């Protein structure tokens, strides 16, 4: 392992310095929590009886307090293909716990909404705040003080960040995240994108589109493109919160079950009564957060994590912002091209060497912290730079070797591009994120008259009417956390992609989010401050010249905004439960801090 790269060292030290007070407060909190958690033998017998009554065959072990009791927090539902495999997990995890003298109980469940199902629908306005609901649900699940460790079952977009935020407030306990793996590959992503664009141009029927989509999303497991869900799994590996190498083995396979078993055995071994105590709050430190950011950049992961990383970092007392991400991006090379940044999917990435290869390359180039604690049998990141395999029925690890596909994975010495492709753009229109790794370099700079919209439907109507057949910067405002919950605007991608394919120079500027599945069209997203309440986007008018430049980091207009009156704030819509989230909208902070009302009001 090489000496740490100076940029990684510099940014890490800056994060440590600005987090000094908040991190100290967090560590003091979890130390107090560890001291205050009562031994179960001292808890009221009535309380214990309530907790043990449903334990059936584990009841005797719980009564005699013979081993650690592990709390399972599950995001199971069978509407999400990624979470459908979790239905049978509790019974298996309990068996694995008994093998090492432990017990396990389902502490609670969390909601798990699917952004793929709610794209373009009103339910998407609940999506970002579902992360906070998941964190709250995790807190409720763990509030019973019955547990010596945590197993966290979740995969998709807001679910892993939400589980992590909630679990970190119980950071005096050890924890392991337990993924279930991606579905097998189906219709190629290139073909799926082709049919989507044909449909956008009215050249394919709805039946043809549905058949194509079902060919891609076809069975239990995570969607195979490298969106937010699979980026989550990548980051859990980079932070050392999985059993090493667990991210991308498919559901139902023998090695997947062996990795699940290892997860239970590891969390049981890391309790405070053993000789390998690893509380979650100490595992997730400044170095682990930097590793998550580095992994995101090196793999071209989802832009949603420009919001999630600052949010879950705050839960651990760590302060990281888009300046840090952008500076890291300048030194972290792009090692992977996975759809939407390449033709292959997550399964192809895994087969080519996957996370073991990526981590090995990053550590070898001094681009990641090797001394993150992790949850593997060996402390540090060394085991994460390998791949797990089964020697008959025994789980072992081995070196990954060179990339198995140079079109999918490349070494740090010969990357796809020299930087990580997530850039900060800023100027008189605010601060925003630009995912340059997904965009051809000749499109990194777009300067054109803008068209201003307040909804995705308005954009779609203008596209259908031919009003956007020109060089244009499409501005979609009032899509921030306080306006409508900051929904993903993935439905914009096919129409804007068509315009780009017709030869026009097109860009998107928005205070909303774009899906982890989005790419191709240059986009300044998460624009902060948001338009609601008079942010700069609220002052733009049709025809203003707007410039978006990833090369120079510019997001600006030549228009004089000083004398303009902001466009009126929209009246919040009701229905689909959106009105129940009014308190979250009204208290949410800016996207760069994570867009969270819960963390803002808590003073974190």
């Amino acid at each position: 392992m090489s000496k740490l790269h100076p940029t990684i060292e510099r940014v890490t030290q800056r994060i440590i310095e600005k987090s000094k007070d908040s991190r100290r407060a967090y560590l003091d909190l979890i130390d107090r929590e560890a001291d205050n958690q009562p031994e179960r033998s001292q808890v009221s017998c009535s309380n214990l009886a309530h907790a043990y009554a449903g334990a059936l065959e584990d009841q005797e072990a719980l009564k005699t307090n013979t081993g650690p009791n592990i709390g399972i927090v599950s995001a199971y539902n069978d509407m999400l293909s990624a979470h459908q495999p979790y239905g049978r997990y509790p019974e298996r995890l309990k068996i694995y716990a008994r093998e090492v003298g432990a017990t396990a109980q389902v502490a609670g469940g969390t909601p798990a909404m699917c952004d793929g199902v709610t794209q373009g629908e009103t339910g998407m306005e609940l999506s970002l705040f579902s992360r906070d609901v998941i964190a709250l649900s995790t807190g409720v699940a763990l509030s019973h003080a019955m547990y010596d460790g945590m197993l966290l079952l979740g995969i998709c977009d807001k679910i892993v960040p939400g589980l992590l935020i909630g679990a970190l407030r119980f950071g005096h306990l050890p924890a392991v995240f337990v993924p279930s793996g991606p579905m097998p590959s189906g219709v190629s992503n290139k073909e799926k994108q082709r049919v989507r664009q044909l449909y956008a141009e009215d050249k394919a029927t709805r039946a043809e589109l549905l058949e194509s989509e079902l060919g891609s999303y076809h069975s239990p497991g995570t969607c195979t493109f490298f969106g937010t869900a699979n980026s989550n799994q990548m980051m859990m590996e980079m932070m050392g919160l999985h059993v090493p190498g667990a991210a991308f083995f498919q559901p139902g396979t023998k090695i997947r079950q062996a990795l699940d078993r290892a997860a239970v055995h590891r969390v049981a071994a890391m309790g405070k009564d053993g000789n390998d105590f690893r509380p979650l709050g100490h595992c997730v430190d400044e170095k682990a957060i930097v590793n998550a950011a580095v992994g995101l950049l090196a793999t071209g992961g989802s832009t949603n994590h420009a919001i999630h990383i600052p949010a879950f970092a705050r839960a651990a007392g760590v302060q990281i912002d888009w300046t840090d991400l952008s500076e890291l991006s300048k030194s972290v090379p792009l090692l992977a091209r996975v759809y939407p940044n390449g033709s292959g999917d997550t399964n192809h990435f895994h087969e080519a060497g996957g996370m073991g290869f990526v981590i090995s390359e990053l550590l070898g180039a001094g681009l990641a912290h090797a001394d993150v604690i992790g949850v593997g049998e060996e402390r540090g990141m060394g085991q994460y730079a390998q791949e797990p395999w089964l020697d008959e029925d025994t789980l072992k690890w081995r070196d990954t070797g060179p990339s198995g596909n140079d079109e999918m994975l490349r070494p740090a010495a010969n990357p796809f591009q020299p930087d990580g492709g997530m850039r900060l753009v800023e100027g008189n229109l605010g601060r925003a994120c630009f995912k340059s790794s997904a965009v051809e370099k000749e499109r990194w700079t777009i300067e054109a008259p803008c068209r201003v919209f307040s909804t995705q439907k308005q954009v779609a109507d203008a596209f259908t009417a031919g009003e956007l057949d020109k060089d244009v910067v499409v501005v979609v405002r009032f899509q921030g956390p306080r306006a409508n919950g900051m929904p993903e605007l993935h439905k914009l991608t096919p129409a804007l992609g068509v315009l780009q394919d017709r030869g026009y120079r097109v860009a998107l500027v928005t205070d909303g989010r774009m899906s982890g599945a989005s790419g191709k069209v240059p986009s300044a997203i998460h624009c902060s401050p948001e338009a609601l309440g008079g942010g700069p986007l609220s002052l733009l008018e049709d025809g203003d010249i707007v410039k978006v430049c990833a090369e120079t980091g510019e997001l600006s207009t030549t228009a004089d905004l000083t004398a303009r009156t902001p466009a009126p704030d929209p009246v919040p819509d009701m229905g689909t439960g959106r009105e129940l989230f009014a308190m979250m909208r009204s208290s949410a902070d800016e996207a760069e801090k994570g867009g969270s009302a819960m963390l803002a009001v808590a003073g974190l």
Side-chain angles (χ1 to χ4, degrees), residues 183 185-199 204-218 224 339:
M183 68 178 67
S185 301
V187 168
S188 73
N189 291 301
K190 184 176 181 180
E191 173 62 14
K192 178 178 67 176
Q193 185 66 25
R194 185 187 71 84
V195 176
R196 284 179 175 177
Q197 289 205 179
L198 287 174
Y199 183 74
T205 66
R206 179 179 173 83
E208 289 170 332
L209 178 63
L210 181 57
E211 190 66 25
S212 171
E213 297 294 327
L214 284 170
S216 180
Y217 311 118
H218 55 84
T224 59
Y339 185 82

Side-chain angles (χ1 to χ4, degrees), residues 297-519:
L297 298 165
T299 59
S302 169
T303 53
N304 276 323
H305 289 302
I307 301 172
H308 296 322
I309 290 175
F312 64 65
R314 286 167 71 184
V318 177
Q319 310 297 322
I320 185 172
D321 59 29
W322 292 345
T323 298
D324 300 318
L325 286 175
S326 188
E327 189 170 332
L328 288 170
S329 183
K330 292 174 183 176
S331 295
V332 175
L334 184 68
L335 305 185
R337 281 211 178 276
V338 193
Y339 185 82
N341 302 334
S343 58
D345 65 20
T346 302
N347 290 313
H348 303 130
F349 165 78
H350 180 66
E351 290 161 6
M355 288 310 304
F357 176 87
V358 169
I359 293 173
S360 177
E361 287 295 315
L362 292 172
L363 293 177
L367 292 166
H369 292 284
D371 55 346
V372 166
I373 296 172
V375 302
E377 290 184 12
E378 305 169 10
R379 288 194 176 222
M381 293 300 293
Q383 202 172 8
Y384 291 86
Q386 299 179 313
E387 63 179 7
W389 66 290
L390 282 179
D391 183 2
E392 295 185 350
D393 291 328
T394 303
L395 186 62
K396 296 182 177 180
W397 281 261
R398 62 191 176 195
D399 292 339
T400 58
S403 169
N405 182 347
D406 284 344
E407 296 303 309
M408 177 69 58
L409 276 174
R410 289 186 184 174
N414 181 34
F416 290 100
Q417 62 186 51
D419 73 353
M422 193 171 290
R423 298 174 177 233
L424 171 67
V425 291
E426 57 186 336
N428 62 357
L429 292 178
R431 288 163 64 91
C433 297
F434 187 115
K435 186 177 178 180
S436 58
S437 61
V439 178
E440 295 176 357
K441 193 165 185 177
E442 57 266 29
R443 297 186 182 276
W444 282 12
T445 301
I446 303 291
E447 186 170 15
C450 73
R451 277 292 307 273
V452 183
F453 304 95
S454 297
T455 68
Q456 289 188 88
K457 185 179 184 305
Q458 290 174 355
V459 179
D461 290 345
F463 170 77
T464 302
E467 297 171 9
L468 301 180
D469 285 316
K470 57 187 176 182
D471 291 353
V472 63
V473 175
V474 174
V475 176
V476 187
R477 63 191 180 192
F478 298 116
Q479 304 296 309
R482 296 199 301 107
N484 63 352
M486 205 178 189
E488 289 184 353
L489 307 177
H490 185 41
K491 279 203 167 182
L492 298 175
T493 305
L496 297 180
V498 168
L499 294 174
Q500 184 169 283
D501 289 349
R502 289 175 180 170
Y504 300 115
R505 296 188 63 75
V506 181
L508 171 69
V509 174
T510 181
D511 50 6
R513 293 185 294 123
M514 288 294 283
S515 166
S518 301

Side-chain angles (χ1 to χ4, degrees), residues 152-170:
L152 303 165
L153 278 56
I155 290 177
C156 290
D157 297 11
K158 316 307 167 298
I159 299 159
V160 167
L163 285 169
L164 183 53
I165 291 169
L168 279 166
R169 306 315 293 177
F170 296 80

Side-chain angles (χ1 to χ4, degrees), residues 73-75 83 86 152-156 159-160 163 177-180 232-233 242:
V73 182
S74 176
H83 292 73
Y86 285 141
L152 303 165
L153 278 56
I155 290 177
C156 290
I159 299 159
V160 167
L163 285 169
F177 277 78
V178 185
S180 69
N232 278 333
Q233 305 317 304
H242 280 167

